[in-house]
Amino acid sequence: MSAMSEIPLPQAAKRVVPWWLLRHETMLAAILLVALIVLGALNNRFLTLDNLLNQGRLTTEVGLIALPMTFIIITGGIDLSVGSIVGLCAILLGYSWKNLGFPLPLAIGFSLLVGAAAGFFNGIVITRVKVPPLIMTIATLALYRGLAEGISQARSVRGYPEWFYFIGQENLFGGPAQLWLFLIAIVVSAIVLDRTIFGRTLYAIGNNETAARFSSLPVDRVKLIIYTLSGLMAGLSACVLVSRVTTTRSDMGIGYELDVIAAVVLGGTSIFGGVGTIWGTVIGLAMIQLLKNGLALTGVKGDATIVVIGAVLILSTLVASSLQRRRDGV
Amino acid sequence: MTAVTLTGAEADPRRWLKALASQEALLAIAVIGLAIAVGLYNPRFLAARNLSDVLLGNAYIAVAAVGMSMVIVSGNIDISVGALIGVLATISGTLAVNGAPIVVAWLAALVAGVVVMALQGVIIAYLRIPAIVVTLGMLSILKGGLISVTGGKWITDLPDSFHLADIELFGVLPFPVFLMILVTILAALWMRYSASGRAIYAVGGNAEAARLCGMSQPRTIVMVFALHGLFAGAAALLYATQLRVIQSTVPPNLELTIITASVVGGVSILGGVGTVVGSTLAAVLIAEIASALVFIDISPYWIRAVQGVLILVTVIADILRRRRMAGA
């Protein structure tokens, strides 16, 4: 982990931390702060610890997937199948417990394994057959959702044992249980991305994949790992989601890919690859969740907040790209 | 793949083999082969009524896939089109119910489609924001906007004359099927023989070379998106006018089905390759498969999995074939 200082970084990797990137995140944090103050002033229920912790609870499911998605987008890839993996894992959790008679802990393990396998399948086709990630994961977006629908035949499963609801509904050390899980995942992801050879390899791939290969970096293995990780985290997210809402349905996780990518891109990760941080993603997630919540509390209808998020996504990308262009002197 | 039907095909037997192996030919064989296979199992599948229902009910997907194919050939992608079709159908239906002349209600969908898509094209081409981000944002805006304006209410009491999809030309040919065929032929000819149509392939295949040949990449992309908006408007009209009510929500997964049709039809996601004839055939095939599942007693809940396998197989076959061609 401390190997960072000994490894001479390629020039390209050094330049991925230019001034404007820091500016993007500080800018975003500033906007977030202003939004917090304005929304807090408009509604006195908004800036309460209870409300904010509850928002943390709600953002965990999308957040857990956004972390590996940051890795993937940094390499210049994308994973559109995550929402479908959530659906498939949720269904398999319920199906294997109720219909196949698995004990619940085994069912949880099984659904996590299937999540990882689904991600591994994405990764293996992307790296071996060289199918572009966008199209591969559009295909598995349909395939995995189709499997969830086919296996469940649109029947839901409920009535899980009481202990299973702990992670989704209970509190631990005064905070929502899943928030702790999310915090650990954030810290681990940030350290991996920032302080390990593995993490720095992601930037190298995103900046110039050919150069990374010539530098004998294990490009394919690294890609395989991050797509597998993405599937595994989607499986974990499914378990947290089922535990929170107490039921499984085959339409779970629909549209998650949009929320996840919006958070990552909003957080300053470039869709072209090579640029991005975990902290940016976390701010992006916080921004989306607080906008949703704040607008809802101030009386804006739920669906109108989606409009705001779409507009914020396009505008923030516009600003980031015009700043970058000015830096590049174009 | 695009050069197979040039003249002189008879002279070279290898041309014939290549033509047979083209995506379009394979799809046509698949469409007919599937019909025969399912027909043998359950003859009711081949009833004229069922086949025309399959075409009629899904023509709008083929029409939208024509525009989507152009967008993907130009090296972009659009995931907002499903939401846009929902919005355009609602706009058109609302106008029709509120007493606007029917022609105005129809035209409004087309115009609004062009405006929204051209706007996205401008942001993508001139402000250089990746298409996936712009269309993702627009998807959010359109979807949220539609539900918050309409509350998801159904539009009922549509005037009879509104139902464009009911028209039958020469007493036999349903208008949606006619439009699907017409749009496909016109778009195929235009993309193949006109300078502006060829520019789409050039821009998607090699943007730098296209620029050096004097083609304006941004202008081509805006044009492609504007056209895509026009086709989305036409698709929305077919979609809105074939039902007695319009549900003012976004049809779920519509964009996915449209992209599937393009990709299975042989449009390469890498840009520069593909034809609209292929995408229309693929749209027909996908609709045919959905219907076939019912006739061979497989639960329709499996349709999406079948769709996924279909994209997967086509894409992998396409990549492997191209790698072999590059290696040869």
Side-chain angles (χ1 to χ4, degrees):
Chain A
M1 259 180 212
S2 60
M4 190 46 199
S5 47
E6 285 109 65
I7 303 165
L9 282 172
Q11 274 305 305
K14 255 183 203 161
R15 265 188 274 123
V16 298
V17 196
W19 62 271
W20 74 264
L21 172 68
L22 300 173
R23 281 279 290 269
H24 181 88
E25 275 141 21
T26 20
M27 219 163 50
L28 207 63
I31 297 174
L32 183 63
L33 202 66
V34 173
L36 273 175
I37 295 169
V38 171
L39 291 169
L42 286 173
N43 189 302
N44 53 11
R45 271 180 304 162
F46 179 73
L47 272 184
T48 57
L49 192 60
D50 264 1
N51 181 50
L52 294 181
L53 283 177
N54 196 36
Q55 296 315 308
R57 190 191 284 282
L58 294 178
T59 206
T60 297
E61 289 131 24
V62 167
L64 285 173
I65 311 172
L67 301 173
M69 185 72 86
T70 311
F71 290 2
I72 290 177
I73 296 184
I74 285 175
T75 66
I78 199 149
D79 185 353
L80 296 179
S81 70
V82 285
S84 295
I85 299 182
V86 169
L88 180 60
C89 291
I91 283 302
L92 284 178
L93 171 67
Y95 187 82
S96 64
W97 175 67
K98 191 114 183 175
N99 301 48
L100 301 181
F102 285 23
L104 193 52
L106 185 65
I108 294 172
F110 176 62
S111 85
L112 290 179
L113 192 70
V114 170
F120 180 81
F121 180 59
N122 283 337
I124 202 87
V125 178
I126 289 167
T127 54
R128 290 293 144 82
V129 193
K130 312 272 181 249
V131 174
L134 180 72
I135 195 64
M136 177 61 196
T137 56
I138 281 184
T140 50
L141 164 72
L143 176 61
Y144 297 154
R145 179 70 61 197
L147 289 176
E149 286 172 351
I151 292 169
S152 73
Q153 295 292 310
R155 279 188 290 268
S156 61
V157 172
R158 45 179 70 243
Y160 293 96
E162 201 56 39
W163 63 265
F164 178 60
Y165 299 134
F166 174 79
I167 191 74
Q169 299 174 15
E170 298 298 316
N171 282 344
L172 189 68
F173 311 124
Q178 67 263 63
L179 198 53
W180 295 104
L181 183 70
F182 185 34
L183 283 179
I184 295 168
I186 291 172
V187 173
V188 171
S189 308
I191 291 173
V192 165
L193 184 58
D194 225 39
R195 294 274 178 268
T196 65
I197 304 176
F198 178 82
R200 305 317 292 184
T201 305
L202 299 175
Y203 291 103
I205 296 172
N207 269 303
N208 190 334
E209 191 172 325
T210 315
R213 279 182 203 282
F214 278 120
S215 317
S216 66
L217 290 172
V219 173
D220 285 344
R221 193 174 357 132
V222 166
K223 281 190 183 171
L224 197 54
I225 292 173
I226 54 177
Y227 285 99
T228 309
L229 188 65
S230 176
L232 178 68
M233 294 298 267
L236 188 61
S237 163
C239 294
V240 174
L241 177 62
V242 172
S243 169
R244 179 169 66 84
V245 302
T246 74
T247 173
T248 51
R249 287 199 323 266
S250 62
D251 62 353
M252 280 180 148
I254 282 187
Y256 267 29
E257 63 281 352
L258 304 187
D259 285 359
V260 169
I261 295 165
V264 173
V265 171
L266 201 57
T269 300
S270 164
I271 203 97
F272 296 117
V275 173
T277 61
I278 289 294
W279 304 117
T281 297
V282 172
I283 298 177
L285 282 164
M287 191 131 150
I288 290 179
Q289 190 58 39
L290 291 177
L291 267 178
K292 274 187 187 169
N293 173 238
L295 291 174
L297 281 178
T298 48
V300 178
K301 279 234 222 71
D303 303 303
T305 61
I306 314 178
V307 180
V308 177
I309 290 162
V312 167
L313 176 66
I314 295 178
L315 283 178
S316 74
T317 320
L318 268 178
V319 171
S321 105
S322 71
L323 279 175
Q324 184 181 17
R325 216 169 295 157
R326 200 163 58 193
R327 177 187 65 109
D328 294 344
V330 178
Chain B
M1 202 154 55
T2 49
V4 287
T5 50
L6 287 178
T7 51
E10 310 90 323
D12 184 354
R14 270 167 45 219
R15 275 254 167 90
W16 276 105
L17 274 177
K18 267 175 89 183
L20 261 181
S22 77
Q23 195 92 6
E24 292 83 352
L26 288 177
L27 283 165
I29 293 169
V31 167
I32 296 166
L34 181 70
I36 294 171
V38 179
L40 286 176
Y41 181 87
N42 186 340
R44 275 181 301 146
F45 178 74
L46 289 180
R49 178 67 199 275
N50 181 54
L51 291 181
S52 95
D53 277 357
V54 168
L55 287 176
L56 198 61
N58 294 281
Y60 74 99
I61 290 174
V63 171
V66 166
M68 180 65 81
S69 301
M70 290 178 182
V71 167
I72 302 182
V73 167
S74 80
N76 291 287
I77 188 124
D78 172 28
I79 48 177
S80 70
V81 68
L84 181 62
I85 287 177
V87 169
L88 297 178
T90 304
I91 290 177
S92 190
T94 309
L95 284 173
V97 168
N98 289 322
I102 296 299
V103 177
V104 172
W106 286 342
L107 280 178
L110 299 177
V111 172
V114 171
V115 169
V116 172
M117 279 299 172
L119 176 70
Q120 296 201 80
V122 167
I123 299 176
I124 291 162
Y126 286 97
L127 302 175
R128 281 180 275 167
I129 309 294
I132 177 116
V133 174
V134 176
T135 57
L136 182 67
M138 188 57 91
L139 167 70
S140 218
I141 293 173
L142 291 172
K143 200 174 176 178
L146 180 63
I147 304 172
S148 52
V149 169
T150 63
K153 274 205 283 289
W154 293 33
I155 302 173
T156 50
D157 300 326
L158 289 157
D160 281 340
S161 53
F162 177 70
H163 293 285
L164 193 63
D166 286 354
I167 299 171
E168 289 197 330
L169 295 164
F170 319 115
V172 281
L173 188 62
F175 182 74
V177 180
F178 165 75
L179 191 67
M180 172 177 92
I181 297 170
L182 180 75
V183 160
T184 307
I185 292 175
L186 287 181
L189 291 175
W190 176 72
M191 284 177 80
R192 192 177 168 107
Y193 294 110
S194 76
S196 50
R198 298 304 307 173
I200 306 175
Y201 288 100
V203 163
N206 188 333
E208 184 59 20
R211 195 182 62 81
L212 292 174
C213 294
M215 297 171 201
S216 162
Q217 187 195 10
R219 219 175 303 152
T220 304
I221 289 178
V222 173
M223 171 192 75
V224 163
F225 270 87
L227 271 174
H228 175 45
L230 185 68
F231 293 128
L237 282 185
L238 296 185
Y239 172 73
T241 61
Q242 68 185 357
L243 304 167
R244 297 299 117 180
V245 292
I246 301 171
Q247 205 179 343
S248 315
T249 52
V250 175
N253 293 308
L254 186 52
E255 63 280 344
L256 192 63
T257 310
I258 294 168
I259 293 173
T260 306
S262 290
V263 171
V264 173
V267 175
S268 166
I269 206 80
L270 304 171
V273 173
T275 66
V276 295
V277 175
S279 77
T280 298
L281 283 169
V284 172
L285 180 64
I286 292 166
E288 192 187 2
I289 291 174
S291 163
L293 284 185
V294 178
F295 281 87
I296 56 174
D297 305 315
I298 291 180
S299 147
Y301 286 116
W302 287 105
I303 175 64
R304 202 95 60 84
V306 174
Q307 247 183 47
V309 171
L310 202 60
I311 319 181
L312 212 55
V313 170
T314 349
V315 169
I316 292 176
D318 177 44
I319 300 243
L320 292 179
R321 182 173 51 190
R322 215 159 338 144
R323 199 185 296 169
R324 211 177 45 211
M325 272 164 66

